[in-house]
Amino acid sequence: MKKCFIFFIICYSLKAQIPNTKNVYNTDIVIYGGTSSAIIAAVKAKQLGHSVLVISPETHLGGMTSSGLGYTDSGNTRLIGGLAKDFYKRVYSKYQSNTAWKWQKKSSFKSKAQSNSAVNKEDNTMWLFEPHVAEAIFEDLVKENNIQILRNEWLNRKQKLEKTDNTITSFYTLSGKKITGKIFIDATYEGDLMALAGVTYHVGRESNTVYNETFNGVQKNIFQHSHNFHKFHIDPFRIKGDKNSGLLPKIGPTTSEKNGEGDNRIQAYCYRLCLTKKAKNKIPFAKPTVYNPFDYELLVRLYKAGWNETFKKFDAIPNLKTDSNNHGPFSFDNIGMNYSYPEATYEERKKIAEEHELYQKGWLYFITTDPRIPKKIQNKMRQWGYAKDEFVDNGGFPFQLYIRESRRMIGEYIMTEQDVLGKKSNSRSIGMGSYSLDSHNTQRFVTEKGFIENEGDIGVRTPEAYSIDMGAILPKKQECSNLIVPVCLSSSHIAYGSIRMEPVFMILAESASQIASLAIKNKSFVQDVSYDELQVHLLESGQILNKN
């Protein structure tokens, strides 16, 4: 009897040491994120013959590309190649079918894209699209390439990932899954895997002196767009003229910082709304669950001062819908309410996202209901509503908050204003950028003269397209040798303002998977991949690496 008991104890002990294989995943390339960048990286990895696993915190795939940003921030579309271009070819193909045009005739859609026509028949690409069309394309790509995705799986940021020296071997999800791989790609907007891996990064604006820049750091009295109060002298106090009454909501005190100084502020976030006037497809703007009309007192004062650009960024996309973005001094951007987001816990981020949602819903409801809104504007806004056939399991409201900027890696090569403006060149191009230096406002404060102003909005055109260096998506080797970061890449704040466009994230994702493939093939660190060898493969796949 005693021998049987000892045998039982030994067997039980051995069983306890065997891991639960149902919760262990092992693959060549692990991609963390559900963004457009993540899906393109996965497609490329599969095309190159590797096993790949996507760990997606999101249920809906595509990030901002499928969550309202249908008016593509493209820059020069000639420079978008490879799988990124294939995405826009697929958009074109989707809209060739008459069944895709439910709410308007195909022939009646004449809208322009940012830098070109919406449809380019020379290469069969289309640059404007509805959110559900973009999501469907990403789902098509997943099915066609038999990509394994674990959805609604979140990196466990409280449990250390496993590393051998400077090489990641595995990480854990909140549900207890162990994810093991050879190469890891962080394709999230937040860079959580990068941060957990111990890679150096920056949050906020650097001082201009750090990288010899002009448009980084604090930028007071810079009025390059019309998202400011420059022409409107608006009283900031709850009771006009009474300093003791306190400031209106969402306004900070006078700032003493000098231009060019660095800080921890990041550009504002918002949701890109898909709106429509089509009565049969419209959800009216309802009163949000938390609503205080005084939160929008500033808007009343702005209208009284003569502001009249409410609808300027209701950009048309197919089927009588819009991609509606921030525009003006007090619009969709929830300025100053996101500073803690990059380093926040998941619970804290959720609260920040909910506050942004309530703010935008309240802004729209206020305009359509408050008697102090000019009737002409109010009547026009009442014609609009959320598109019923978009984000159908979220009441017509987008899934993804527009994280314009979060953590930014400090990697092997740091992209700066000098690269973007052509004052400096790099020699290992993995893709091209061409968009303006573009930052939304970072703060709203009271000027020394006692009026309201926004600060941080920058829009400086690039003289020509520029290349993005291979080292910008690679950590320093001593920090992590098998991680690639195509979204929270190595860049200064103001350079990131140009690079941070969805087509570019897709371009860099494809290059990231090609680097990963060569590292696996050659059994090398990602930093040791030969650029000459990489360049050949990128060009063969249709990537565009120079402006000529």
Side-chain angles (χ1 to χ4, degrees), residues 212-270:
N212 189 29
E213 296 176 304
T214 301
F215 300 106
N216 210 335
V218 176
Q219 298 285 318
K220 291 189 289 187
N221 299 314
I222 304 296
F223 307 117
Q224 294 174 338
H225 289 130
S226 56
H227 311 311
N228 55 70
F229 293 88
H230 182 44
K231 297 186 294 184
F232 308 106
H233 297 161
I234 309 295
D235 188 295
F237 302 109
R238 298 176 74 89
I239 299 174
K240 290 183 179 181
D242 184 357
K243 295 182 179 180
N244 295 323
S245 65
L247 294 171
L248 292 174
K250 300 184 185 294
I251 300 175
T254 303
T255 175
S256 61
E257 297 140 318
K258 295 180 180 179
N259 275 14
E261 289 185 1
D263 60 16
N264 64 349
R265 300 183 181 97
I266 54 178
Q267 57 181 310
Y269 298 166
C270 73

Side-chain angles (χ1 to χ4, degrees), residues 224-327:
Q224 294 174 338
H225 289 130
S226 56
H227 311 311
N228 55 70
F229 293 88
H230 182 44
K231 297 186 294 184
F232 308 106
H233 297 161
I234 309 295
D235 188 295
F237 302 109
R238 298 176 74 89
I239 299 174
K240 290 183 179 181
D242 184 357
K243 295 182 179 180
N244 295 323
S245 65
L247 294 171
L248 292 174
K250 300 184 185 294
I251 300 175
T254 303
T255 175
S256 61
E257 297 140 318
K258 295 180 180 179
N259 275 14
E261 289 185 1
D263 60 16
N264 64 349
R265 300 183 181 97
I266 54 178
Q267 57 181 310
Y269 298 166
C270 73
Y271 287 90
R272 299 286 286 253
L273 304 183
C274 186
L275 306 179
T276 183
K277 289 182 181 179
K278 189 69 177 179
K280 291 182 178 180
N281 194 37
K282 185 174 73 172
I283 302 173
F285 301 129
K287 183 178 180 179
T289 53
V290 178
Y291 175 72
N292 182 355
F294 192 72
D295 288 342
Y296 308 97
E297 170 68 21
L298 179 51
L299 189 58
V300 174
R301 298 184 189 183
L302 188 59
Y303 281 136
K304 286 183 177 179
W307 185 65
N308 62 355
E309 298 181 358
T310 305
F311 305 96
K312 192 166 182 177
K313 283 301 292 177
F314 280 36
D315 294 311
I317 60 175
N319 281 309
L320 304 178
K321 299 173 187 176
T322 72
D323 167 0
S324 296
N325 193 11
N326 174 81
H327 181 80

Side-chain angles (χ1 to χ4, degrees), residues 179-220:
I179 311 299
T180 300
K182 297 175 182 177
I183 304 291
F184 295 79
I185 296 176
D186 186 338
T188 63
Y189 293 122
E190 294 86 3
D192 287 335
L193 181 58
M194 171 190 73
L196 194 64
V199 172
T200 305
Y201 60 86
H202 186 81
V203 175
R205 300 183 288 186
E206 298 92 348
S207 165
N208 274 327
T209 59
V210 175
Y211 301 120
N212 189 29
E213 296 176 304
T214 301
F215 300 106
N216 210 335
V218 176
Q219 298 285 318
K220 291 189 289 187

Side-chain angles (χ1 to χ4, degrees), residues 84 98 152 155 167 183 204 229:
N98 288 330
N152 197 28
L155 173 69
T167 302
I183 304 291
F229 293 88

